[in-house]
């Protein structure tokens, strides 16, 4: 035992105006009660202890802290009576302190050691208290005691304080709950006690309030407190380590994966009380119910090293993971380098990484495997099966943590699908949430199923199209050029073979080859002609030439050279068509990337729905209006902002695609078109197509116009309205473009658009007449530099 006066607070706290002192009298009174009622052999012990206390003629007014060392024998006797009889003092964290003061003066060696080695920093398990917190907790403890003793009122229960101490043997933290025993403290009032409203007091104290009010109603100077407080520290390291894993699960944020797992590993090391044991968590994630790689290391990362994509192909990982999780087995070896383990090939890579002791524990959640926990040491350390036993209480918490990771992985996949492949965008998500909830509500109440009805009324539509000029013509020309080149090679090959190995079949094939060349040269290649020609090349000539090479081995080099060219042609990695596809892909990727970035910026102007889709170029539909964002007041200037963006974005895209020209194997130009519809329409979500479409006869006409105007001509001419290096705006009424004209002038002043604005009338289309257009050129950086 140690008799050292020590302040436990660790911080400077203000003193309380409290008449409190050390006294043995409450303990003596308790001894007398026990002697009267005790029937066992303890009665003799208590009588001897009481006799010793009575020889000291103790003062009723208390003992000064500075004189406590004079009463060492009495302190020893009190410890003997209150501690478990057969417990070693080195195993018990027990101490005495002054009533409601953070000062101990007598205790076990273990208690003092823990206090000397404790941590007061912001460890994840322990909430650090400042001076105000400490003072508030003292008041809570004091008034709870006073109210219970003098008013028989039970205040809301306080959780015990948790203290962290360094284990000198392992260097790891250990955690102890402080239990405070006030059975040997007495309080008396120095005057009349005021009446209290206990119903209101309990409510306020439950909320952590009320103690400051009690300072006024029940001032501390009203009380006299005497006795000794008993402190017990209970090891709660295991409970705190598991609580920490649960806390991380509940409070984790996906963007702090590494930090989250670092705390989990720290907790597991604390649980097994060994800093040399390492851990790794490997969650079991699936896509379409097939195992796939995860992308977060939960510890040392050895399982990712052994099973990850750097070493195992996706197919092999899938096979191994399905095999393991169909029958998940526990594995443990204290030394994987031992002669017994050397024969197990699956441990080879663990050995290469320097692992010595290894345990692989399948982790479950609701009886479903969710991952693997690896426990291991490096070559200079080892562990035995006792460590596995220590981990068992944490396995359920680890399972719940891995399930959260799996859920987040699945949500992330769903989010990507929702963003990239469906029409459910953030601006309209709220409407889908409402309808989904109503559907779920009706289903749970067994009500009749209602069709999903998601619609937005009175929204302004905005349509734009970036088209690759003459893409169909250019594609046909490229196909003809490639086929003609191939037929020329085939014809040359067949003629050479006919000279060396004349046959009627070769002569017929030469004839067909010439006829196909005539068709290509006449520009009369119909839609199904390409398939017929490819059939001739692959199903007639190729088998025959292969047969000929077998019959006449000396012809094989010539035939092989032709077949090699044919294979390249079939794989579409050379030729005019390939060059065209590469150029088109360059344009579409650049335009798509631009719109992907811009659609995020659009939401900052006003929540709107924006959907783009691929044709030979890229088209988009945008809808804006009050019904899409009921919480955001809609004004006409929001629509004007979007229209300015339309013009600016089309100019930007024209510049982007123009800058790509030097990189294109086949030079292609883009045209930019905007259709102006100055009236609101209604749209609804079509579940079958997973996209929004217009509603009603009038609104359908808007959709019909969009599909017919891409190749419209200027009235009384053969000139196509859309032209490279130009932006066109198609409209019906002069008022429709009132918003756009100032924007055009503004962009001309900024040298974004040319000063060549044209007002044009357009040809009548089927069911459409009176169309008009504005056409204006785009200024490129090169022309500015000139």
């Amino acid at each position: 035992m140690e008799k050292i006066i020590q302040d436990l607070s660790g911080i400077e706290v203000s003193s309380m105006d409290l008449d409190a002192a050390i006294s043995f009298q409450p303990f003596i009174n308790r001894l007398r009660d026990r002697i009267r009622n005790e029937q066992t052999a303890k009665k003799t012990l208590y009588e001897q202890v009481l006799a010793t206390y009575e020889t000291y003629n103790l003062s009723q007014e208390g003992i000064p802290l500075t004189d406590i060392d004079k009463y060492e024998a009495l302190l020893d006797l009190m410890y003997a009576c209150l501690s478990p009889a057969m417990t070693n003092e080195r195993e018990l964290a027990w101490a005495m302190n002054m009533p409601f003061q953070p000062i101990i003066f007598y205790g076990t060696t273990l208690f003092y050691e823990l206090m000397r080695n404790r941590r007061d920093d912001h460890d994840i398990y322990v909430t650090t208290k400042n001076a105000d917190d400490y003072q508030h907790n003292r008041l809570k403890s004091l008034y709870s005691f006073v109210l219970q003793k003098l008013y028989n009122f039970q205040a809301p229960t306080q959780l015990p304080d948790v203290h962290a101490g360094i284990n000198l043997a392992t260097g790891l933290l250990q955690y102890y709950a402080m239990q405070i025993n006030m059975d040997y403290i007495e309080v008396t009032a120095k005057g009349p006690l005021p009446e209290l409203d206990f119903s209101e007091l309990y409510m306020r104290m439950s909320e952590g309030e009320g103690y400051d009010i009690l300072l006024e109603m029940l001032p501390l100077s009203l009380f006299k407190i005497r006795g000794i407080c008993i402190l017990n520290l209970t090891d709660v390291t295991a409970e705190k380590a598991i609580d920490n894993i649960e806390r991380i699960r509940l409070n984790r944020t996906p963007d702090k994966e590494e930090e989250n797992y670092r705390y989990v590993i720290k907790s597991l090391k604390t649980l097994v009380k060994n800093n040399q044991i390492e851990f790794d968590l490997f969650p079991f994630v699936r896509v379409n119910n097939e195992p796939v790689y995860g992308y977060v290391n939960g510890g040392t990362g050895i399982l990712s090293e052994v099973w990850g994509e750097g070493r195992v192909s996706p197919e092999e990982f899938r096979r191994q993971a399905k095999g393991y999780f169909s029958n998940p087995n526990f594995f443990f070896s204290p030394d994987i380098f031992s002669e017994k383990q050397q024969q197990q090939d699956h441990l080879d890579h663990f050995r290469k990484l320097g692992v010595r002791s290894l345990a692989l524990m399948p982790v479950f959640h609701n009886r479903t495997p969710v991952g693997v926990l690896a426990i291991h040491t490096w070559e200079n350390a080892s562990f035995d099966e006792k460590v596995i036993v220590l981990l068992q209480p944490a396995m359920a918490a680890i399972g719940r943590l891995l399930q959260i990771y799996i859920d987040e992985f699945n949500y992330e996949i769903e989010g990507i699908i929702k963003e990239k492949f469906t029409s459910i965008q953030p601006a309209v998500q709220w409407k889908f949430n409402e309808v989904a909830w109503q559907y779920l509500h009706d289903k749970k109440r067994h009500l009749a199923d209602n069709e999903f009805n998601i619609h937005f009324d009175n929204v302004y539509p905005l349509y734009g199209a970036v088209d690759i000029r003459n893409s169909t013509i250019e594609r046909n020309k490229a196909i003809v050029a490639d086929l003609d080149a191939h037929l020329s090679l085939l014809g040359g090959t067949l003629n050479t073979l006919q000279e060396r190995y004349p046959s009627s079949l070769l002569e017929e094939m030469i004839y067909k080859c010439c006829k196909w060349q005539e068709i290509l040269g006449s520009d009369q290649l119909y839609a199904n002609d390409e398939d017929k020609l490819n059939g001739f090349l692959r199903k007639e000539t190729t088998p025959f030439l292969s047969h000929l090479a077998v019959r006449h081995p000396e012809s094989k080099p010539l035939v092989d050279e032709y077949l090699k060219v044919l294979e390249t042609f079939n794989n579409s990695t050379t030729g005019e068509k390939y060059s065209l596809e590469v150029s088109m892909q360059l344009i579409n990727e650049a335009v798509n990337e631009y719109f992907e970035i811009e659609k995020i910026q659009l939401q900052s102007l006003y929540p709107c729905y924006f959907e783009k889709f691929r044709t030979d170029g890229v088209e988009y539909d945008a809808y804006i209006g009050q019904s899409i964002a009921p919480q955001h007041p809609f004004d006409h200037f929001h629509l004007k902002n979007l229209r300015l963006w339309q013009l600016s974005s089309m100019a930007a895209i024209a510049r982007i695609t123009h800058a790509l020209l030097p990189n294109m194997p086949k030079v292609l130009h883009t045209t930019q078109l905007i259709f102006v519809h100055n009236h609101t329409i209604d749209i609804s979500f079509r579940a079958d197509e997973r996209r929004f479409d217009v509603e009603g006869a009038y609104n359908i006409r808007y959709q019909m116009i969009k599909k017919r105007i891409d190749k419209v001509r200027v009235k009384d001419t053969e000139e196509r309205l859309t032209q490279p290096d130009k932006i066109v705006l198609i409209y019906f009424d002069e008022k429709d473009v009132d918003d756009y004209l100032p924007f055009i002038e503004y962009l001309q002043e900024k040298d974004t658009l040319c000063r060549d604005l044209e007002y044009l009338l357009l040809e009548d289309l089927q069911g459409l007449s009176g169309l008009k257009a504005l056409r204006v050129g785009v200024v490129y950086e090169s022309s500015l530099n000139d």
Side-chain angles (χ1 to χ4, degrees):
M1 302 297 293
E2 296 188 19
K3 295 164 280 297
I4 302 171
I5 297 173
Q6 182 176 335
D7 188 339
L8 296 182
S9 66
I11 54 177
E12 193 172 318
V13 294
S14 55
S15 60
M16 294 194 298
D17 183 18
L18 181 66
D19 182 3
I22 299 170
S23 173
F24 289 105
Q25 196 59 49
F27 176 69
I28 293 171
N29 295 339
R30 193 71 176 269
L31 274 176
R32 288 173 177 151
D33 289 340
R34 291 299 301 273
I35 290 169
R36 283 193 295 270
N37 301 310
E38 186 63 50
Q39 302 297 320
T40 70
K42 290 182 179 180
K43 182 174 183 178
T44 303
L45 171 65
Y46 296 153
E47 288 174 341
Q48 293 173 353
V49 171
L50 179 61
T52 302
Y53 272 82
E54 288 175 342
T55 62
Y56 274 74
N57 193 23
L58 297 167
S59 169
Q60 296 291 325
E61 287 305 310
I63 299 169
L65 181 62
T66 52
D67 294 342
I68 194 64
D69 57 340
K70 300 176 182 178
Y71 303 92
E72 180 178 347
L74 300 185
L75 295 174
D76 289 341
L77 287 173
M78 191 171 178
Y79 169 71
C81 290
L82 298 181
S83 64
M86 300 298 291
T87 303
N88 189 323
E89 180 255 341
R90 293 288 305 176
E91 301 173 358
L92 187 64
W94 188 98
M96 299 180 187
N97 81 309
M98 290 186 65
F100 302 105
Q101 299 290 342
I103 297 172
I104 59 172
F105 50 85
Y106 178 87
T108 63
T109 301
L110 177 60
F111 192 101
Y112 278 95
E113 282 182 358
L114 290 172
M115 290 299 102
R116 281 192 289 269
N117 298 327
R118 68 178 173 169
R119 284 270 297 274
D120 292 319
D121 62 356
H122 289 275
D123 185 76
I124 191 166
Y125 303 110
V126 183
T127 304
T128 303
K129 296 175 183 177
N130 57 33
D132 290 339
D133 293 334
Y134 196 92
Q135 190 73 354
H136 184 68
N137 283 348
R138 289 175 70 193
L139 285 176
K140 287 172 67 175
S141 179
L142 173 58
Y143 277 113
S144 296
F145 175 77
V146 168
L147 292 171
Q148 195 272 326
K149 293 295 185 181
L150 300 183
Y151 286 92
N152 197 28
F153 170 76
Q154 185 64 50
T157 305
Q158 281 185 253
L159 294 174
D161 285 340
V162 175
H163 296 263
I166 296 289
N167 185 313
L168 297 179
T170 65
L172 295 169
L173 290 171
Q174 286 182 269
Y175 300 90
Y176 294 86
M178 179 82 78
Q179 301 287 347
I180 304 175
N181 184 346
M182 300 184 186
D183 291 346
Y184 309 102
I185 300 175
E186 293 178 352
V187 57
T188 55
K190 297 179 180 179
L193 292 172
E195 292 186 6
L196 301 175
D197 183 348
F198 290 108
S199 60
E200 180 181 356
L201 183 62
Y202 190 89
M203 180 179 68
R204 301 191 68 167
M205 292 175 77
S206 297
E207 297 171 354
E209 302 175 353
Y211 297 97
D212 295 336
I213 297 174
L214 284 172
L215 274 173
E216 298 179 8
M217 301 177 63
L218 294 173
L220 298 179
S221 58
L222 184 60
F223 308 111
K224 174 184 175 182
I225 297 175
R226 296 291 183 269
I228 295 175
C229 187
I230 306 300
L231 304 180
N232 276 288
L233 288 178
T234 304
D235 190 338
V236 292
T237 302
E239 292 89 336
K240 280 297 169 183
I242 295 169
D243 286 348
N244 176 48
I245 297 172
E246 292 285 10
R247 187 182 299 113
I248 291 170
R249 176 179 69 87
L250 296 172
N251 300 332
R252 69 194 300 277
T253 52
D255 58 331
K256 295 183 178 179
E257 291 286 359
E258 188 175 338
E259 181 180 349
N260 293 335
Y261 279 115
R262 188 166 63 249
Y263 281 126
V264 171
I265 302 308
K266 179 179 179 182
S267 300
L268 294 175
K269 288 189 172 194
T270 299
L271 190 60
V272 300
K273 302 177 182 178
N274 190 326
N275 208 15
Q276 291 185 301
I277 295 179
E278 304 292 346
F279 297 89
D280 191 39
L281 286 164
F282 191 87
F284 181 45
V285 293
R286 300 176 177 92
V287 172
N288 297 328
N289 208 33
E290 294 288 337
V292 295
Y293 304 122
Y295 47 82
V296 172
N297 286 335
T300 58
I302 62 162
L303 294 182
S304 292
E305 286 280 345
V306 175
W307 297 338
E309 57 189 319
R311 180 172 172 270
V312 181
S313 68
E315 295 76 17
E316 179 63 17
F317 172 77
R318 188 178 301 118
R319 186 188 66 78
Q320 291 185 14
K322 289 176 74 173
Y324 179 80
F325 285 106
S326 65
N327 184 27
N329 294 317
F330 168 80
F331 171 84
F332 169 65
S333 172
D335 187 357
I336 64 173
F337 286 90
S338 66
E339 183 177 347
K340 179 181 178 182
Q341 300 296 336
Q342 286 286 353
Q343 300 174 358
Q344 300 196 33
D345 295 340
H346 70 277
L347 298 176
D348 284 347
H349 205 69
F350 287 104
R351 286 189 278 263
K352 289 178 182 177
L353 293 171
V355 173
R356 183 178 178 187
S357 292
L358 176 66
L360 300 175
M361 300 178 67
V363 182
F364 296 85
H365 177 70
N366 291 338
R367 300 183 179 180
T368 301
V370 292
V372 178
L373 171 65
I375 309 107
H376 70 95
T377 58
W378 303 118
E379 293 177 350
N380 59 346
S382 63
F383 63 86
D384 57 27
E385 66 278 358
K386 295 176 184 177
V387 168
I388 312 299
V389 177
L390 293 174
L391 285 170
Q392 287 300 327
M395 294 307 292
I398 293 172
R400 288 187 286 270
L401 179 67
L402 290 184
Q403 184 61 50
I404 287 289
Y405 172 82
I406 293 169
D407 291 342
E408 287 177 351
F409 176 88
N410 294 333
Y411 294 151
E412 196 167 353
I413 294 292
E414 290 174 11
I416 292 170
I417 293 171
K418 186 181 295 182
E419 177 186 354
K420 302 295 183 182
F421 306 112
T422 76
S423 298
I424 307 173
Q425 298 177 12
V428 296
Q429 179 71 50
W430 64 272
K431 188 67 174 179
F432 285 85
N433 293 343
E434 284 185 357
V435 173
W437 175 85
Q438 188 63 53
Y439 173 83
L440 183 63
H441 172 271
D442 293 348
K443 182 178 179 181
K444 294 294 185 183
R445 291 179 174 271
H446 305 290
L447 302 176
D449 288 345
N450 294 316
E451 290 187 5
F452 284 99
N453 185 15
I454 298 173
H455 65 274
F456 298 98
D457 299 332
N458 300 317
V459 296
Y460 286 94
L462 295 97
Y463 170 77
V466 179
D467 191 32
I468 297 175
R469 183 67 162 178
N470 295 329
S471 57
T472 303
I473 296 173
E474 293 292 341
R475 183 179 285 108
N476 288 336
K477 286 169 61 177
I479 291 170
V480 169
D482 286 344
L483 289 172
D484 187 58
H486 190 72
L487 285 170
S488 297
L489 177 63
L490 175 61
T493 303
L494 292 174
N495 282 316
T496 302
L497 291 171
Q498 176 68 358
E499 290 175 3
R500 299 177 185 176
Y501 319 102
S503 73
S504 299
L505 193 54
L506 267 173
E507 187 174 344
E508 183 198 11
M509 286 189 176
I510 293 170
Y511 168 77
K512 287 183 178 180
C513 186
C514 293
K515 291 298 292 183
W516 276 116
Q517 285 182 300
E518 288 178 13
I519 292 172
L520 293 178
S522 64
D523 291 331
Q524 293 181 353
L525 189 69
Y526 296 104
N528 62 341
D529 285 344
E530 185 181 354
D531 291 336
K532 290 180 181 178
L533 179 50
N534 282 322
F536 167 69
L537 295 173
R538 296 169 188 171
K539 296 179 181 179
E540 290 188 45
T541 60
T542 302
F544 174 74
L545 291 173
S546 299
H547 170 72
L548 192 64
V550 173
R551 286 190 60 191
H552 303 284
E554 62 273 16
S555 68
K556 192 173 186 305
L558 180 63
V559 172
D560 285 348
E561 182 181 351
Y562 166 76
L563 293 178
K564 183 178 179 182
V565 175
L566 178 62
E567 183 181 359
T568 304
F569 173 77
N570 291 337
N571 292 335
S572 300
T573 56
T574 59
E576 293 294 315
K577 185 180 177 183
Y578 176 73
S579 298
L580 178 70
E581 295 296 340
V582 170
S583 296
M584 292 179 68
Q585 188 174 356
L586 274 174
I587 291 172
N588 285 324
E589 285 180 353
V591 175
N592 266 306
E593 183 179 355
Y594 177 83
F595 279 133
E596 282 295 319
I597 296 170
E598 286 298 301
K599 75 178 183 181
I600 299 172
Q601 177 64 25
L602 282 180
Q603 303 306 317
S604 65
L605 303 178
Y606 186 88
C608 60
Y609 179 84
F610 181 90
E611 179 185 20
K612 60 180 174 62
F613 41 96
R614 289 278 295 271
T615 54
D616 272 349
V618 179
E619 301 177 33
Y620 68 79
D621 281 314
Y623 302 104
I624 187 171
Q626 187 66 75
S627 62
I628 289 180
Q631 305 301 320
H632 298 76
F634 178 75
D635 193 87
H636 186 75
F637 78 83
H638 293 119
L639 176 62
K640 292 176 70 174
N641 262 341
L642 206 53
R643 286 174 167 172
L644 175 57
W645 172 84
Q646 263 196 306
L647 270 174
S648 302
S649 63
M650 284 301 188
I653 287 170
R655 289 183 169 191
I656 289 170
T657 58
H658 185 270
L660 293 174
L661 289 175
N663 301 322
M664 294 183 193
K666 177 68 176 178
V667 173
L668 297 173
H669 297 274
T670 61
T671 62
Q672 292 70 225
L673 179 149
I674 294 170
F675 176 47
V676 182
H677 189 82
N678 209 26
H679 305 282
T680 60
I681 63 172
D682 302 333
I683 60 173
S684 62
F685 186 78
R686 293 189 57 172
D688 54 344
E689 296 184 5
R690 298 185 68 81
R691 61 186 295 268
F692 279 96
D693 206 348
V694 295
E695 265 189 351
Y698 172 78
N699 298 329
I700 290 173
R701 185 169 182 270
Y702 162 77
Q703 198 78 315
M704 178 189 68
I705 295 170
K706 287 192 330 183
K707 294 180 178 179
R708 294 184 181 175
I709 57 177
D710 62 326
K711 293 181 175 59
V712 67
R713 300 180 184 277
V714 178
K715 191 169 186 177
D716 299 329
T717 73
E718 294 299 316
E719 180 188 356
R720 286 271 295 274
L721 172 65
T722 56
Q723 295 292 332
D725 310 326
K726 300 279 188 178
I727 299 172
V728 299
L729 294 86
I730 298 178
Y731 60 97
F732 277 101
D733 192 283
E734 300 295 343
K735 293 182 180 179
D736 293 347
V737 291
D738 282 350
D739 284 348
Y740 290 91
L741 290 172
F743 298 152
I744 292 173
E745 185 177 345
Y746 163 68
L747 293 175
Q748 287 173 331
E749 290 293 330
K750 287 184 63 180
D751 287 327
T752 300
L753 298 180
C754 300
R755 300 177 186 273
D756 59 353
L757 181 62
E758 302 172 85
Y759 291 79
L760 303 169
L761 299 178
L762 305 182
E763 65 179 348
D764 293 341
L765 301 175
Q766 183 181 358
L768 291 174
S769 60
L771 285 173
K772 302 172 184 177
L774 300 177
R775 187 164 65 185
V776 63
V778 177
V779 177
Y780 296 123
E781 296 294 336
S782 57
S783 59
L784 284 176
N785 294 335
D786 294 343

